Amino acid sequence: MTTTRVPPQGAAIAPGTPGPSGGVQTQPPAGRPPASPPTTPSPRRRGIGWGARAELMILIGPALIVFVAFVILPVVLAAYYGFFSWSGFGTPTDFVGFRNYITILSDPTFHEALGHNLFILVMSLLLQGPIALVFALLLNRKLRFQSVIRVLIFVPYVISEVVVGIGWSLMLQSEGAVNGLLEKIGLADLQADWLSDPALAIWTLMLIITWKYIGFAVILFLAGLQGIPDELSEAAAIDGASYWQVQRLIVLPLLGPTIRIWAFLSVIGSLQLFDLVWIIWGQYVSSTAGTSTMATYMVANGRGAGSFGYGSAVAVVLFLISLAIALIYQRLVLRRDTAGALTEKPNTTAEATS
């Protein structure tokens, strides 16, 4: 039996000295640093092959063709026709330059319609948002008939605008169901011309819009509440926070991205509002009742007046206003939510230490 002598710690090991396991230990020459282990090269990106490109074109091609044909091309044609005085028949030849746009921007009727759109925009955020948030917080708790209440709130949103407009216009007429009900319950003094009085018509429109679209906001907020962990609320409740303190300090900040997305959709919808106003008030009553919008102004002064060039110019102005507000909202409000979603982090490799 042989024993191997292990040198003390820090002692130099001569080349060729047997090691503890019987092998031979080697030592680099004096003055030369030990070699560092080889580093793993970073993976090199490979380009997309022709097969993958063909597959992408097959999958994206049909949708891209539809988008270009029904979105991009109409915008381009509207911008082109807006420089002509065109009746809609034949090839436009009467070039008027920016005269249509100057007329639009100097028309008091268009200013009034733009003011109505901005009023609807602000009031939709101030009315629908808080009401929908309260409904969503209540429906997020365990309640009796919870599913039935959710359905009843969401039903108006899925009803066609034509049905909603005709139904409300029949009920709110001077001899309609609302005034008849007020008379039967002894509140005849509250009867009013809900649709023709300029002081009431815009608020009547806001009531109909809120009733119609609040269900969408409630469902959207409920979906956002489902993504908030219950552990956070439970931990805050253990620490002594009340229910409303939990909602104000924990739930609402975490629900912020959902609220901002809903507000963005509400802003765009308010700027493009057309169908309910056109169905309930029509082409002529909407302007006299104080409920006209930029979209109704476009149809009334474009197709209704037989001036498709002017109507195309109004469409371009409406598009630019919506685009400008959307970009400003994206820049100031949604930038924080999308900051990490549209950027790619660079690949980093851990450097080996010697």
Side-chain angles (χ1 to χ4, degrees):
M1 179 176 180
T2 60
T3 60
T4 303
R5 183 179 177 182
V6 180
Q9 184 176 3
I13 303 176
T17 303
S21 60
V24 178
Q25 295 183 349
T26 60
Q27 184 179 7
R32 180 182 298 178
S36 59
T39 58
T40 304
S42 59
R44 180 179 299 177
R45 289 188 179 181
R46 300 179 60 184
I48 301 178
W50 290 105
R53 292 181 182 181
E55 183 179 357
L56 288 176
M57 291 304 300
I58 293 175
L59 296 176
I60 301 177
L64 185 61
I65 293 174
V66 172
F67 179 78
V68 171
F70 293 96
V71 178
I72 302 299
L73 183 60
V75 172
V76 175
L77 291 178
Y80 172 74
Y81 294 143
F83 292 104
F84 292 87
S85 178
W86 184 46
S87 62
F89 298 96
T91 303
T93 56
D94 187 6
F95 182 79
V96 296
F98 289 94
R99 189 177 69 187
N100 288 333
Y101 296 95
I102 296 174
T103 303
I104 294 169
L105 298 179
S106 60
D107 188 0
T109 305
F110 178 79
H111 298 164
E112 182 181 1
L114 176 60
H116 295 157
N117 277 111
L118 296 178
F119 177 83
I120 294 170
L121 186 155
V122 174
M123 296 308 300
S124 295
L125 297 178
L126 295 180
L127 292 179
Q128 296 182 37
I131 296 175
L133 189 59
V134 171
F135 275 118
L137 293 176
L138 293 177
L139 292 176
N140 196 43
R141 307 177 66 182
K142 293 183 179 180
L143 300 173
R144 295 185 61 184
F145 308 108
Q146 185 181 48
S147 300
V148 177
I149 297 175
R150 289 185 180 183
V151 171
L152 292 177
I153 292 177
F154 190 68
V155 161
Y157 177 72
V158 299
I159 299 178
S160 171
E161 281 78 2
V162 176
V163 176
V164 172
I166 294 177
W168 279 101
S169 62
L170 293 176
M171 291 189 296
L172 294 174
Q173 290 179 358
S174 300
E175 303 297 331
V178 174
N179 284 339
L181 178 63
L182 292 175
E183 182 179 4
K184 288 186 178 181
I185 62 178
L187 298 176
D189 295 337
L190 297 180
Q191 292 180 339
D193 294 330
W194 306 102
L195 300 179
S196 57
D197 188 355
L200 295 176
I202 190 67
W203 292 103
T204 302
L205 176 61
M206 284 307 310
L207 172 66
I208 299 173
I209 292 175
T210 303
W211 176 84
K212 174 77 169 68
Y213 296 105
I214 195 173
F216 174 74
V218 171
I219 295 300
L220 199 63
F221 292 164
L222 282 174
L225 290 173
Q226 299 300 320
I228 299 177
D230 295 335
E231 291 80 2
L232 299 177
S233 302
E234 295 173 357
I238 293 175
D239 291 338
S242 64
Y243 173 78
W244 293 110
Q245 287 177 333
V246 171
Q247 309 307 314
R248 181 171 60 90
L249 300 176
I250 297 178
V251 174
L252 289 182
L254 295 177
L255 196 62
T258 304
I259 297 176
R260 289 187 285 270
I261 290 296
W262 164 81
F264 176 76
L265 298 176
S266 180
V267 167
I268 299 301
S270 299
L271 293 174
Q272 300 177 352
L273 180 64
F274 169 76
D275 38 21
L276 286 176
V277 177
W278 191 264
I279 294 169
I280 297 175
W281 282 274
Q283 175 177 353
Y284 304 103
V285 181
S286 60
S287 58
T288 59
T291 58
S292 60
T293 63
M294 289 186 291
T296 61
Y297 175 88
M298 175 187 66
V299 176
N301 293 275
R303 189 195 66 176
S307 179
F308 285 83
Y310 187 81
S312 299
V314 178
V316 173
V317 173
L318 174 58
F319 171 77
L320 293 178
I321 292 175
S322 302
L323 179 62
I325 294 179
L327 292 177
I328 294 174
Y329 190 91
Q330 168 75 26
R331 179 72 176 179
L332 300 180
V333 181
L334 295 180
R335 183 179 182 182
R336 183 177 61 179
D337 298 333
T338 59
L342 301 179
T343 59
E344 182 178 358
K345 296 181 179 180
N347 293 329
T348 58
T349 58
E351 296 183 357
T353 58
S354 59

